Amino acid sequence: MNDARQMPNRLLDAKSPYLLQHAYNPVDWHPWGEEAFQIARQEDKPVFLSIGYSTCHWCHVMAHESFEDAEVAKLLNRSFVSIKVDREERPDIDAVYMAVCQAFTGSGGWPLTILMTPEKKPFFAGTYLPKKERYGAMGLIQLLRFVEKNWTSNKARLVEESEKITRFLKKTQENKEAGPEKLPEALIKEGIEQLKATFDPKWGGFGPMPKFPTPHNLLFLLEQDEKNATEMVEKTLTQMYRGGIFDHIGGGFCRYSTDEMWLVPHFEKMLYDNALLLLAYTEGYLRTGRALYRDAADKIAEYVMRELTHEKGGFFCSQDADSEGQEGKYYVFAPGEIIRILGEREGRRFCKAYDIDFRGNFEGKSIPNLLKNREYEKEAGKPFVGALYRYRKQRTMLHRDEKVLTSWNGLMITALARAGVRLERPDYLRAALEAEKFVCENMHEAGGKLLSRWYGGQADHPGTLEDYAFFAWALLECHAATFRPNYLEKACLVGEKMLEQFFDSDMGGGYLYGKDSEQLLIRPKETYDGAMPSGNAVAALVMRQLAFFTGQGLWQKAWEQQDCFLRQECRYPAGHTFFLWVLSQEKNEKGQLICVSSEEPPLQELRKLGISVLVKTKDNQDAMEKVAPFLKDYPLPEQGTDYYFCQGNICHPPVHDLESLEKNSINA
């Protein structure tokens, strides 16, 4: 097994925490690159590709069982060229070979295990494999010995299989027929009905266990003027908060629940989950006024700022599920620990409130939760950064993946900027703006291209569609929160590069990776939402907003083309809820406002209007007219402020004070 004296392999110089976790494996790992495939061709060996990420529990299990094992390493080193890929660092590679796995097996997941030719054409795909055969399931050694033997004696068969799956994938990609272009109202209605059909009325959430939060479902439903839609959101937000998936000691949400009631999570915490949940709880609070949702939003934001933030502002990826080799050990308690830390009276109260007893609810200990507490709302607002939090930090440690990803940072910047304004928390907005600055200073190439990953002082890998779309959205939210023209100008530049690198001007839609990036087996266009919304759906939101903010026909045309493409792709609307959220926002558009002022306008009041706002003043006139040339037609008044409000196809006469605007136009 693992030997501390093991010599390092080729991963030692990597900038991925996941790859570095494998740098002292006895397996002779290569990072993805032409050098590895060249060796495979020269030595006539098949390629063993393993894809995972640093906080993946089953990746750890397979690493300990197999990749730290001398017998497995000997077999891999003798007959294969082995390559490790961090799926978070290279989502393009992961997406292509995950499509392979789904084609082979009908499902996917991580660790992802691929066997392929030196030409990158796969002939086997699977996920976690135990070292040896178990309960009738094939073991890794069994698979490797089979391939080793057949690569020597029956190589043509393996090559033929690889050619067959490659042809199938390319044909599927090239011949994918678009569905009929449905009207937005029909897609929205169908999406609501499909979510209703899978909704769990007792515990909230959608579909069977394991249950994922899927916050874009909730954002979509919150936009609907329908009682049942709001009820589904409230049930889900409430039960997730009460469950063990929410960290009642330190804040933030874990990845997903292994049961139907949100009690026992898969304990890793991901930046993107918490970003999207921060958006959902913020919007839930604004819609309902429930203090519980405000409390959840605050505890998500404070957790991220406290535990996932680089000293210079960027946000780290995740925290591990495992500590000291045990999943969840960091999060669970025995009653004696609580009483010892909090004292007899407060300790017993806490144990009763949070369901901590001697029987335990997870491997003999207890995950704090409020599922049995009928007075759970009384716990909202109580500080969690106290004695239990400090004790937990000292008792055991969690691994943290300290990569900074442009796409995930884009989501968190968006969420914090919006929460900073809507929850009136300037510290959230400051954190968002610092992270935006970090990405701009550290993750750009000459010519304006984005890089995907930063770690240890170095950025690398060309940005994907998600990087561009999510970061452009973040820049638009920074503009909405500050009204500073530089954020809008940067959003335009990122958007223009996104169109140039990713978009299909003939058929519509954006490819996963850019035209100047490494060209892989296939070049997919992803439209379904997964744990995160699809890059294409977020790109649609960006184009729609840029069309208003700049008045440029480029963005209106791009939005219309993207809208058409996604409506044709939207065969199962409940799998495209972020795009349905964008369509719903367009349908429910409350109006757009242009504020032109010769003095300091009431910015705080403008932020609270909940509509799209452009602000031109004497100080920013040149910058605003550069990015939005149509503003030249809106002259600065000699004194005071003019407000031009438009809704739908109607523009109201300008008014000179905010009270008249709200009375006669916005609320008309």
Side-chain angles (χ1 to χ4, degrees), residues 6-154:
Q6 175 71 41
M7 291 293 290
N9 55 46
R10 291 174 176 85
L11 301 183
L12 189 62
D13 295 326
K15 294 297 181 182
S16 156
Y18 175 63
L19 268 57
L20 289 171
Q21 286 174 349
H22 296 268
Y24 285 89
N25 288 169
V27 176
D28 185 17
W29 291 113
H30 297 251
W32 178 279
E34 182 53 34
E35 179 184 346
F37 292 101
Q38 183 64 30
I39 291 171
R41 288 190 288 270
Q42 289 173 351
E43 299 182 3
D44 190 24
K45 290 181 178 179
V47 172
F48 178 83
L49 172 64
S50 176
I51 303 177
Y53 56 103
S54 74
T55 56
C56 167
H57 171 69
W58 285 103
C59 297
H60 296 328
V61 172
M62 192 166 177
H64 295 323
E65 284 183 349
S66 297
F67 303 144
E68 296 172 3
D69 181 80
E71 184 181 8
V72 172
K74 182 179 179 180
L75 185 51
L76 281 170
N77 296 344
R78 180 177 68 211
S79 300
F80 299 84
V81 172
S82 302
I83 297 177
K84 263 287 175 194
V85 167
D86 182 340
R87 67 168 288 259
E88 296 169 353
E89 185 177 64
R90 292 299 304 269
D92 50 346
I93 297 170
D94 177 62
V96 167
Y97 289 100
M98 187 60 71
V100 171
C101 186
Q102 289 167 341
F104 267 107
T105 68
S107 62
W110 299 277
L112 179 59
T113 303
I114 302 288
L115 284 159
M116 58 187 175
T117 69
E119 286 70 41
K120 308 176 187 177
K121 296 178 179 180
F123 54 81
F124 172 86
T127 53
Y128 164 77
L129 294 170
K131 177 186 171 184
K132 295 184 177 180
E133 183 179 359
R134 185 186 301 166
Y135 309 123
M138 178 174 55
L140 180 60
I141 284 184
Q142 181 184 6
L143 171 66
L144 296 177
R145 285 176 176 163
F146 172 84
V147 173
E148 180 184 48
K149 178 181 177 182
N150 280 268
W151 190 261
T152 302
S153 62
N154 199 6

Side-chain angles (χ1 to χ4, degrees), residues 635-651:
L636 291 171
E638 291 185 8
Q639 59 182 12
T641 303
D642 289 342
Y643 298 97
Y644 298 83
F645 177 72
C646 297
Q647 188 172 31
N649 297 318
I650 300 173
C651 289

